[in-house]
Amino acid sequence: MCYPTPQELGLAARALADEHPGEVRLRQAGTSRAGQPIWVLSVAATATTTATATATATAGPVGTAGGDARSVLVVAGAHANEPVGGATALSLARRLLRDPAPRAGCGWHFLLCADPDGADLHRTPRPYSLLDYHRYFFRPPGPEQPEWAPSLLPADRLPPETLALTALIDELRPVLQVSLHATDLGGTWVQLTRDIPGLAEPFAKSAAELRIPVENGASDAAGWPSPGPGIFVIPQPGSEAAGAFHPEDTRLSTWYHAHRYAGTTAIVEVPMWASDLVDDPAPHPDPRGALRMLAARLTADAALVGAARELARSRDGDRDRNEDGSGDGDGPRPGGFEDPAAAPLLRAVDWTLALIPRITVEWTGAGAPAEATAAYIASIDAFGRRLSLRAAAMLLRVLRTEGHPAAPGLDRLVTGWCEEFAARFGARWIPVATQVEHQSRTVLAAYDRLVAADRATGRA
């Protein structure tokens, strides 16, 4: 099983809709910046009779919020470098057709790829190593990511992918929005905008059965309330989470857009390569000392990438100058690079490099935790490694295509960092089908527990 491309997702979804015309609908929810369709696959609710009501609710037209008593929205492909979500969305849709129980009074809607342009730039259908994964790596800067853009841009500058997603939330008013994410190396965890009581048990059971470590100290969620291993609840406005660093305000992201309709959002992370280091609950002997060391290493690594970026910038200028020093020696070439992919790649490189100093300040500042688990320090270690590695890998793509003299040295750096990363964490590949299975189980468990909680409080 491989990670599907946006085009493959569209074709598979069309075939599914053709096979089940009365239950499944494929429609276009929007258009990307490059003109690609943003597809939504909907599986209709089935009739349901509750013990407390004599009336039977019947599903309306396929894919309409008005005809469904409830809606679930599953978002895939919000991050271009996390391609498992699309495969999970298709698998879930097929599972709901085989076993329609979760569709009782609830329509399920799958945004198959929230960022098709970004997904086209990240090309690793079945990476066989961390190096292979980073050979054609791409992750856009925060303002160009559909879910994060509202936390970084004014409303009149939001990208069309974000507008399509928020419009879909406005239309469906989902009781549950699930955003499918992945990490290159580590463990699995779930972030929640509101607690879903009882989710920890089926989540942990699935992870154990599939031999996926639970990330107990996710760097993204340091200090957040945790009702169970690997489950983290995003702090409410006005509260502080010591140790967690986010360049964006999470509460301004599209995850919170569902709150306008009393919905809850779950963010389900699954690793491509697993590491048992992120599942170690033992206390770390010196967290602040470790964070200082990791900050120093990240600063040094970023400096190496920054130096290569400056070499590329200098050569851009040289290529655009005549022998007398005047500009435009080689004619018009945006940024000095002929490859159209260079511009988004370099924007992402510059965004990542600019982010690193802010992160290292957080790691070494007064808010650094005096007590932490070995799992948390391992998660921070991995986070720092991937930041500099991603910037270097995206810069290498540009330099290699242009035949830049700095490319061979940067290639050796990327290769060495990938090998060190994998060796340090004992990287173990998780088959794509296993990643999909765990995400699917977690999505269904989240909905099941949410409905049970609503029934217990009389909201269902």
Side-chain angles (χ1 to χ4, degrees):
M1 187 177 189
C2 297
Y3 297 122
T5 66
Q7 293 73 28
E8 290 167 344
L9 285 170
L11 290 172
R14 172 59 63 195
L16 196 63
D18 290 344
E19 292 169 11
H20 304 272
E23 299 175 280
V24 180
R25 177 189 176 195
L26 180 66
R27 60 187 171 117
Q28 186 172 338
T31 304
S32 73
R33 281 162 288 183
Q36 294 197 72
I38 298 173
W39 296 112
V40 176
L41 183 70
S42 297
V43 181
T46 59
T48 180
T49 301
T50 68
T52 59
T54 56
T56 299
T58 304
V62 176
T64 62
D68 297 336
R70 294 184 300 271
S71 290
V72 171
L73 173 61
V74 178
V75 179
H79 285 154
N81 62 303
E82 301 170 6
V84 69
T88 299
L90 283 176
S91 177
L92 267 171
R94 295 184 180 114
R95 185 176 300 206
L96 290 167
L97 290 167
R98 295 192 305 269
D99 178 10
R103 294 164 52 200
C106 182
W108 287 70
H109 310 270
F110 302 91
L111 187 64
L112 296 176
C113 185
D115 183 12
D117 298 347
D120 277 350
L121 279 174
H122 179 85
R123 301 192 297 273
T124 48
R126 201 305 191 181
Y128 58 84
S129 67
L130 272 176
L131 179 59
D132 186 43
Y133 170 71
H134 284 94
R135 281 298 184 199
Y136 292 95
F137 182 91
F138 176 68
R139 182 186 177 102
E144 297 177 30
Q145 296 175 15
E147 292 182 328
W148 288 119
S151 67
L152 296 164
L153 296 174
D156 61 351
R157 291 179 54 201
L158 293 176
E161 296 86 351
T162 297
L163 297 177
L165 174 53
T166 54
L168 196 59
I169 296 171
D170 290 336
E171 173 198 338
L172 299 174
R173 303 187 173 207
V175 295
L176 177 64
Q177 176 186 208
V178 183
S179 186
L180 302 174
H181 285 257
T183 185
D184 45 19
L185 195 161
T188 180
W189 75 97
V190 177
Q191 300 173 70
L192 300 171
T193 59
R194 291 191 180 100
D195 187 22
I196 299 179
L199 178 58
E201 186 273 329
F203 169 75
K205 180 181 178 183
S206 173
E209 289 178 351
L210 298 172
R211 296 187 63 239
I212 301 174
V214 172
E215 190 138 350
N216 288 312
S219 59
D220 286 357
W224 291 4
S226 179
I231 307 292
F232 302 95
V233 182
I234 300 173
Q236 295 304 305
S239 62
E240 295 294 331
F245 173 78
H246 289 276
E248 314 87 353
D249 186 340
T250 305
R251 291 178 290 266
L252 294 178
S253 71
T254 58
W255 298 348
Y256 274 80
H257 201 81
H259 280 219
R260 299 184 181 195
Y261 312 106
T264 298
T265 297
I267 301 91
V268 182
E269 300 268 3
V270 66
M272 302 170 71
W273 283 270
S275 171
D276 293 330
L277 295 182
V278 300
D279 196 12
D280 184 355
H284 191 280
D286 182 16
R288 287 181 173 170
L291 288 171
R292 286 193 297 270
M293 182 274 291
L294 294 175
R297 187 190 67 199
L298 178 55
T299 300
D301 289 350
L304 294 174
V305 183
R309 177 70 179 101
E310 288 306 312
L311 287 174
R313 214 184 304 271
S314 299
R315 195 178 189 214
D316 293 351
D318 292 343
R319 293 170 108 184
D320 287 339
R321 292 186 181 278
N322 295 308
E323 291 183 4
D324 61 2
S326 61
D328 297 329
D330 271 354
R333 255 201 324 257
F337 294 106
E338 295 178 351
D339 183 5
L345 285 164
L346 291 175
R347 286 197 304 272
V349 170
D350 293 341
W351 162 267
T352 304
L353 291 177
L355 197 62
I356 287 173
R358 296 168 56 192
I359 293 173
T360 57
V361 167
E362 289 285 331
W363 289 357
T364 56
E371 297 181 357
T373 64
Y376 171 70
I377 297 301
S379 181
I380 291 287
D381 185 356
F383 179 63
R385 289 174 188 270
R386 68 173 59 99
L387 278 177
S388 48
L389 176 55
R390 288 172 175 180
M394 289 187 286
L395 180 58
L396 177 58
R397 288 184 62 181
V398 176
L399 301 188
R400 192 171 53 220
T401 299
E402 295 294 318
H404 196 287
L410 192 58
D411 196 349
R412 288 190 294 272
L413 190 66
V414 168
T415 300
W417 281 352
C418 286
E419 292 173 349
E420 291 171 9
F421 195 4
R424 166 72 179 86
F425 283 82
R428 170 172 53 85
W429 172 250
I430 303 293
V432 176
T434 304
Q435 298 173 40
V436 167
E437 178 65 19
H438 179 59
Q439 278 196 326
S440 298
R441 291 180 183 181
T442 303
V443 172
L444 293 172
Y447 176 68
D448 178 71
R449 295 305 191 268
L450 186 66
V451 170
D454 285 348
R455 285 176 181 156
T457 58
R459 291 179 58 193

